[in-house]
Amino acid sequence: MLRASAVKAGRTYVSSPNLRAREGFERASNLPAYLMKQQRDNKTAQKPAAAVAPGPLRILIADDHAIVRQGLRRIVSSGFGEAIVGEAGDAQAVLKAVREQNWDVLVLDITMPGRSGIDVLKDIKALRPKLPVLILSVGAEDQYGPRVLKAGAAGFIGKEKAPEELIDAIKRVVAGGRYASPALLEKMAFDSAADMKPHEILSDREYEVMCMIAAGKKISDIAKTLHLGTNTVNTYRQRVLEKMGMKSNAELIRYCINNKLIP
Protein backbone atom coordinates (compact mmCIF):
# COMPACT_ATOMS: atom_id res chain seq x y z
CA MET A 1 0.00 0.00 0.00
CA LEU A 2 1.19 3.56 -0.65
CA ARG A 3 0.53 4.36 2.98
CA ALA A 4 3.02 1.73 4.07
CA SER A 5 5.59 2.96 1.56
CA ALA A 6 5.56 6.36 3.26
CA VAL A 7 6.80 4.83 6.52
CA LYS A 8 10.54 4.56 6.04
CA ALA A 9 13.40 5.16 8.41
CA GLY A 10 13.55 8.86 9.31
CA ARG A 11 16.50 10.73 7.91
CA THR A 12 17.44 13.95 6.21
CA TYR A 13 17.08 13.55 2.47
CA VAL A 14 20.26 14.33 0.55
CA SER A 15 20.31 13.08 -3.03
CA SER A 16 24.05 13.38 -3.50
CA PRO A 17 26.86 10.85 -4.01
CA ASN A 18 29.13 13.05 -1.91
CA LEU A 19 27.12 12.56 1.28
CA ARG A 20 30.00 11.01 3.25
CA ALA A 21 32.35 13.87 2.38
CA ARG A 22 29.80 16.45 3.40
CA GLU A 23 29.05 14.62 6.66
CA GLY A 24 32.77 14.72 7.41
CA PHE A 25 32.76 18.49 6.99
CA GLU A 26 29.66 18.84 9.13
CA ARG A 27 31.18 16.80 11.94
CA ALA A 28 34.22 19.06 11.88
CA SER A 29 32.04 22.18 12.02
CA ASN A 30 30.50 23.73 15.09
CA LEU A 31 26.97 22.98 13.95
CA PRO A 32 23.81 24.22 15.67
CA ALA A 33 21.37 21.76 17.22
CA TYR A 34 19.01 21.47 14.25
CA LEU A 35 21.88 20.46 11.92
CA MET A 36 23.28 18.04 14.49
CA LYS A 37 19.85 16.39 14.55
CA GLN A 38 20.03 15.97 10.79
CA GLN A 39 23.38 14.22 11.19
CA ARG A 40 21.92 11.85 13.79
CA ASP A 41 19.00 11.14 11.44
CA ASN A 42 21.49 10.12 8.76
CA LYS A 43 23.40 7.81 11.11
CA THR A 44 20.24 6.01 12.21
CA ALA A 45 18.71 5.81 8.74
CA GLN A 46 18.72 2.01 8.73
CA LYS A 47 16.70 1.69 11.92
CA PRO A 48 12.99 0.91 11.45
CA ALA A 49 10.61 3.83 11.82
CA ALA A 50 8.05 3.93 14.58
CA ALA A 51 4.76 2.25 13.81
CA VAL A 52 2.05 4.42 12.25
CA ALA A 53 -1.64 3.83 12.76
CA PRO A 54 -3.30 2.14 9.77
CA GLY A 55 -5.52 4.12 7.47
CA PRO A 56 -5.19 6.59 4.62
CA LEU A 57 -2.65 9.39 4.87
CA ARG A 58 -4.20 12.69 5.95
CA ILE A 59 -2.59 15.61 4.10
CA LEU A 60 -3.47 19.28 4.60
CA ILE A 61 -2.53 21.63 1.74
CA ALA A 62 -2.30 25.33 2.57
CA ASP A 63 -1.88 27.82 -0.27
CA ASP A 64 -3.72 31.05 -1.04
CA HIS A 65 -4.09 30.24 -4.76
CA ALA A 66 -6.92 27.84 -5.58
CA ILE A 67 -5.29 26.70 -8.82
CA VAL A 68 -2.10 25.81 -6.94
CA ARG A 69 -4.08 23.85 -4.33
CA GLN A 70 -5.82 21.91 -7.09
CA GLY A 71 -2.49 21.08 -8.70
CA LEU A 72 -1.01 19.95 -5.39
CA ARG A 73 -4.11 17.85 -4.70
CA ARG A 74 -3.65 16.04 -8.02
CA ILE A 75 0.02 15.41 -7.28
CA VAL A 76 -0.54 13.96 -3.80
CA SER A 77 -3.54 11.95 -5.00
CA SER A 78 -1.37 10.38 -7.70
CA GLY A 79 1.31 9.52 -5.15
CA PHE A 80 -1.00 8.50 -2.30
CA GLY A 81 -4.12 7.14 -3.94
CA GLU A 82 -6.12 6.65 -0.72
CA ALA A 83 -5.01 9.89 0.93
CA ILE A 84 -7.51 12.23 2.57
CA VAL A 85 -6.60 15.71 1.33
CA GLY A 86 -7.75 18.91 3.00
CA GLU A 87 -7.29 22.49 1.82
CA ALA A 88 -6.83 25.89 3.44
CA GLY A 89 -6.57 29.22 1.65
CA ASP A 90 -5.32 31.56 4.38
CA ALA A 91 -3.59 31.60 7.76
CA GLN A 92 -6.81 31.55 9.77
CA ALA A 93 -8.14 28.54 7.86
CA VAL A 94 -4.87 26.66 8.34
CA LEU A 95 -4.87 27.17 12.11
CA LYS A 96 -8.55 26.22 12.32
CA ALA A 97 -7.98 23.00 10.37
CA VAL A 98 -4.94 22.07 12.48
CA ARG A 99 -6.77 22.85 15.70
CA GLU A 100 -9.93 20.91 14.86
CA GLN A 101 -8.59 17.88 12.95
CA ASN A 102 -5.69 15.46 13.03
CA TRP A 103 -3.30 15.45 10.07
CA ASP A 104 -0.27 13.36 9.19
CA VAL A 105 1.47 16.20 7.36
CA LEU A 106 0.91 19.85 6.45
CA VAL A 107 2.19 21.25 3.15
CA LEU A 108 2.37 25.00 3.84
CA ASP A 109 3.06 27.88 1.44
CA ILE A 110 5.51 30.36 2.93
CA THR A 111 3.51 33.39 1.77
CA MET A 112 0.02 33.05 3.22
CA PRO A 113 -2.36 36.04 3.42
CA GLY A 114 -3.22 37.15 6.92
CA ARG A 115 0.12 36.26 8.46
CA SER A 116 3.54 35.20 7.23
CA GLY A 117 4.17 31.51 6.75
CA ILE A 118 6.88 31.56 9.41
CA ASP A 119 4.48 33.05 11.96
CA VAL A 120 1.89 30.41 11.06
CA LEU A 121 4.54 27.70 11.39
CA LYS A 122 5.38 28.81 14.92
CA ASP A 123 1.70 28.76 15.93
CA ILE A 124 1.24 25.31 14.40
CA LYS A 125 4.24 23.92 16.30
CA ALA A 126 2.68 25.31 19.49
CA LEU A 127 -0.67 23.66 18.70
CA ARG A 128 0.67 20.38 17.28
CA PRO A 129 4.36 19.99 18.12
CA LYS A 130 4.60 16.58 16.43
CA LEU A 131 2.86 17.54 13.18
CA PRO A 132 5.46 17.56 10.37
CA VAL A 133 5.27 20.73 8.30
CA LEU A 134 6.72 20.79 4.79
CA ILE A 135 7.25 24.37 3.63
CA LEU A 136 6.58 25.11 -0.04
CA SER A 137 8.01 28.27 -1.58
CA VAL A 138 8.31 29.93 -4.95
CA GLY A 139 11.27 32.00 -3.74
CA ALA A 140 14.93 31.04 -3.74
CA GLU A 141 15.67 28.56 -0.95
CA ASP A 142 18.54 30.74 0.27
CA GLN A 143 15.95 33.32 1.25
CA TYR A 144 13.74 31.31 3.62
CA GLY A 145 15.08 27.75 3.80
CA PRO A 146 17.41 28.16 6.79
CA ARG A 147 14.87 30.24 8.71
CA VAL A 148 11.97 27.82 8.36
CA LEU A 149 14.11 24.83 9.32
CA LYS A 150 15.33 26.68 12.39
CA ALA A 151 11.70 27.55 13.20
CA GLY A 152 10.72 23.87 13.31
CA ALA A 153 9.72 22.91 9.77
CA ALA A 154 10.36 19.28 8.86
CA GLY A 155 11.37 20.24 5.35
CA PHE A 156 11.61 22.87 2.65
CA ILE A 157 10.96 22.43 -1.07
CA GLY A 158 10.64 24.88 -3.96
CA LYS A 159 7.53 25.00 -6.13
CA GLU A 160 9.74 24.58 -9.19
CA LYS A 161 10.67 21.03 -8.18
CA ALA A 162 9.28 17.99 -9.98
CA PRO A 163 6.09 16.35 -8.61
CA GLU A 164 8.08 13.22 -7.77
CA GLU A 165 10.29 15.25 -5.43
CA LEU A 166 7.25 16.59 -3.58
CA ILE A 167 5.95 13.04 -3.10
CA ASP A 168 9.34 11.92 -1.82
CA ALA A 169 9.56 14.92 0.53
CA ILE A 170 6.14 14.09 2.01
CA LYS A 171 7.16 10.46 2.53
CA ARG A 172 10.36 11.53 4.29
CA VAL A 173 8.75 13.93 6.74
CA VAL A 174 5.82 11.60 7.48
CA ALA A 175 8.38 8.92 8.34
CA GLY A 176 9.93 11.25 10.90
CA GLY A 177 12.83 12.51 8.80
CA ARG A 178 13.71 15.91 7.43
CA TYR A 179 13.87 17.09 3.84
CA ALA A 180 16.12 19.70 2.28
CA SER A 181 18.07 19.95 -0.94
CA PRO A 182 21.81 19.19 -0.88
CA ALA A 183 22.55 22.81 -1.80
CA LEU A 184 20.53 24.13 1.14
CA LEU A 185 22.13 21.77 3.64
CA GLU A 186 25.59 22.67 2.36
CA LYS A 187 24.84 26.38 2.66
CA MET A 188 23.59 25.94 6.22
CA ALA A 189 26.68 23.93 7.16
CA PHE A 190 29.04 26.56 5.81
CA ASP A 191 27.04 29.46 7.27
CA SER A 192 27.13 27.87 10.71
CA ALA A 193 30.92 27.90 10.60
CA ALA A 194 31.12 31.52 9.45
CA ASP A 195 30.35 34.84 11.11
CA MET A 196 26.73 35.96 11.04
CA LYS A 197 25.78 38.31 8.22
CA PRO A 198 23.94 41.56 9.04
CA HIS A 199 20.55 40.32 7.84
CA GLU A 200 20.75 37.25 10.10
CA ILE A 201 20.21 39.39 13.21
CA LEU A 202 16.81 40.56 11.94
CA SER A 203 13.58 39.11 13.31
CA ASP A 204 11.50 37.03 10.90
CA ARG A 205 9.07 39.91 10.34
CA GLU A 206 11.86 42.44 9.82
CA TYR A 207 13.52 40.11 7.35
CA GLU A 208 10.25 39.64 5.48
CA VAL A 209 9.65 43.39 5.23
CA MET A 210 13.23 43.97 4.08
CA CYS A 211 12.90 41.42 1.27
CA MET A 212 9.60 42.88 0.14
CA ILE A 213 11.09 46.38 0.06
CA ALA A 214 14.08 45.06 -1.88
CA ALA A 215 11.68 43.41 -4.34
CA GLY A 216 10.26 46.85 -5.12
CA LYS A 217 6.98 46.71 -3.23
CA LYS A 218 5.47 49.90 -1.85
CA ILE A 219 4.85 50.32 1.88
CA SER A 220 1.10 50.33 1.27
CA ASP A 221 1.32 47.06 -0.70
CA ILE A 222 3.43 45.44 2.00
CA ALA A 223 0.93 46.53 4.64
CA LYS A 224 -1.93 45.04 2.65
CA THR A 225 -0.11 41.75 2.03
CA LEU A 226 0.89 41.32 5.68
CA HIS A 227 -2.38 42.74 7.06
CA LEU A 228 -0.51 45.43 8.96
CA GLY A 229 -0.90 49.20 9.21
CA THR A 230 1.40 51.37 7.10
CA ASN A 231 2.83 52.93 10.27
CA THR A 232 3.72 49.45 11.54
CA VAL A 233 5.46 48.58 8.28
CA ASN A 234 7.39 51.87 8.41
CA THR A 235 8.44 51.02 11.96
CA TYR A 236 9.77 47.64 10.77
CA ARG A 237 11.58 49.39 7.91
CA GLN A 238 13.24 51.80 10.33
CA ARG A 239 14.33 48.94 12.60
CA VAL A 240 15.84 47.12 9.62
CA LEU A 241 17.80 50.20 8.54
CA GLU A 242 19.09 50.74 12.08
CA LYS A 243 20.14 47.10 12.59
CA MET A 244 21.75 46.92 9.15
CA GLY A 245 23.55 50.25 9.59
CA MET A 246 21.93 51.70 6.48
CA LYS A 247 20.13 54.94 5.64
CA SER A 248 18.01 54.26 2.56
CA ASN A 249 15.99 51.70 0.63
CA ALA A 250 18.59 51.89 -2.13
CA GLU A 251 21.21 50.49 0.24
CA LEU A 252 18.83 47.71 1.30
CA ILE A 253 18.08 46.80 -2.30
CA ARG A 254 21.79 46.70 -3.18
CA TYR A 255 22.54 44.54 -0.15
CA CYS A 256 19.74 42.05 -0.91
CA ILE A 257 20.82 41.73 -4.53
CA ASN A 258 24.49 41.26 -3.63
CA ASN A 259 23.60 38.59 -1.05
CA LYS A 260 21.04 36.90 -3.32
CA LEU A 261 18.20 37.37 -0.84
CA ILE A 262 15.63 38.09 -3.55
CA PRO A 263 14.93 36.08 -6.74
Side-chain angles (χ1 to χ4, degrees), residues 170-197:
I170 292 174
K171 290 179 179 180
R172 300 285 176 168
V173 300
V174 167
R178 291 165 72 89
Y179 184 100
S181 72
L184 178 55
L185 288 180
E186 188 170 0
K187 170 183 167 51
M188 292 170 69
F190 276 101
D191 285 352
S192 69
D195 293 335
M196 289 183 66
K197 294 182 179 180

Side-chain angles (χ1 to χ4, degrees), residues 30-48:
N30 183 20
L31 298 180
Y34 62 91
L35 283 179
M36 293 299 291
K37 180 182 184 302
Q38 290 179 347
Q39 278 194 294
R40 291 195 297 271
D41 286 342
N42 282 337
K43 292 177 182 178
T44 60
Q46 301 306 315
K47 295 182 180 181

Side-chain angles (χ1 to χ4, degrees), residues 131-249:
L131 173 64
V133 180
L134 178 64
I135 296 293
L136 194 65
S137 174
V138 73
E141 62 184 11
D142 285 358
Q143 183 178 356
Y144 285 114
R147 285 180 175 263
V148 299
L149 293 176
K150 290 176 185 178
F156 180 94
I157 185 170
K159 288 185 178 180
E160 75 282 0
K161 300 297 184 181
E164 294 78 9
E165 290 191 55
L166 176 60
I167 295 299
D168 194 35
I170 292 174
K171 290 179 179 180
R172 300 285 176 168
V173 300
V174 167
R178 291 165 72 89
Y179 184 100
S181 72
L184 178 55
L185 288 180
E186 188 170 0
K187 170 183 167 51
M188 292 170 69
F190 276 101
D191 285 352
S192 69
D195 293 335
M196 289 183 66
K197 294 182 179 180
H199 66 271
E200 293 176 340
I201 66 173
L202 301 177
S203 70
D204 291 332
R205 181 65 84 188
E206 290 166 350
Y207 180 82
E208 189 171 29
V209 169
M210 178 190 71
C211 289
M212 295 177 81
I213 290 173
K217 292 190 176 183
K218 299 178 180 178
I219 294 297
S220 58
D221 294 333
I222 296 173
K224 183 177 180 180
T225 299
L226 300 179
H227 291 255
L228 298 172
T230 54
N231 288 341
T232 302
V233 174
N234 275 317
T235 298
Y236 280 120
R237 172 186 172 276
Q238 189 59 38
R239 288 179 188 171
V240 170
L241 291 173
E242 290 175 358
K243 289 184 178 181
M244 300 282 285
M246 298 177 183
K247 297 181 179 180
S248 68
N249 287 358

Side-chain angles (χ1 to χ4, degrees), residues 103-105 124-133 152 154 173-174 176:
W103 303 96
D104 294 305
V105 61
I124 288 169
K125 298 311 292 184
L127 287 170
R128 304 275 187 174
K130 295 183 180 180
L131 173 64
V133 180
V173 300
V174 167

